[in-house]
Amino acid sequence: MEQLQVKLGEKAQITTVMQEVFATEVGAVYQCNKRNRLVVDFANAQIVLKVDAFLRLKKAVDSIDLRDMAVNTQRCSDYELLTVCGCEKLYVLTLPEIYSFKELLGGAKFALELNSMLHECLHTQVA
């Protein structure tokens, strides 16, 4: 477990203990069971998301065509603007950043699904 300071709302800044779900060299995703939220730490910003907003963010990142960005010679293809409903952050990402973000979000989703399956199996056997 890691202690992480996050801003939940505009009025209060609290420090709470969060479980690291998945981390790479460029970021990490933490889970707050107390508030049922995920904290995505990427691109020098921490955002607090509900699980459904996290899944929408992952879907939006996955929908970006990296190959098309790489082969397109127009200057506007050098960056991608990314935001989703439920996420207050507007990301302006380059091709390598998008690749890293895809890796981070994909790993976090896999870890969450694996944890859920293990929890379900353990509780099924106990009952």
Side-chain angles (χ1 to χ4, degrees):
M1 287 211 228
E2 186 173 320
Q3 195 166 10
L4 180 71
Q5 186 173 11
V6 295
K7 185 177 180 181
L8 299 174
E10 292 184 19
K11 295 182 180 179
Q13 203 162 17
I14 63 168
T15 301
T16 185
V17 177
M18 301 205 178
Q19 290 180 314
E20 185 178 275
V21 173
F22 186 77
T24 63
E25 56 199 34
V26 296
V29 176
Y30 302 92
Q31 182 176 5
C32 177
N33 291 331
K34 193 173 191 178
R35 296 185 183 259
N36 198 23
R37 301 283 190 268
L38 296 170
V39 177
V40 178
D41 185 3
F42 182 77
N44 298 320
Q46 295 173 346
I47 57 169
V48 180
L49 300 169
K50 292 182 181 180
V51 175
D52 61 331
F54 171 81
L55 294 174
R56 282 193 302 270
L57 178 62
K58 184 188 177 320
K59 186 175 180 180
V61 170
D62 288 345
S63 71
I64 299 170
D65 187 354
L66 296 177
R67 185 182 178 287
D68 185 51
M69 267 183 89
V71 298
N72 195 331
T73 58
Q74 294 180 348
R75 186 152 174 92
C76 65
S77 70
D78 291 344
Y79 295 93
E80 185 74 31
L81 300 176
L82 181 68
T83 189
V84 294
C85 181
C87 176
E88 297 176 0
K89 173 101 173 107
L90 169 67
Y91 288 100
V92 180
L93 302 172
T94 62
L95 180 72
E97 290 171 329
I98 295 169
Y99 180 81
S100 297
F101 205 25
K102 277 188 179 196
E103 179 184 21
L104 176 65
L105 297 178
K109 183 178 181 221
F110 174 78
L112 289 168
E113 289 174 347
L114 180 61
N115 187 33
S116 177
M117 288 183 349
L118 290 173
H119 186 268
E120 187 177 303
C121 287
L122 290 173
H123 281 80
T124 303
Q125 290 179 356
V126 173

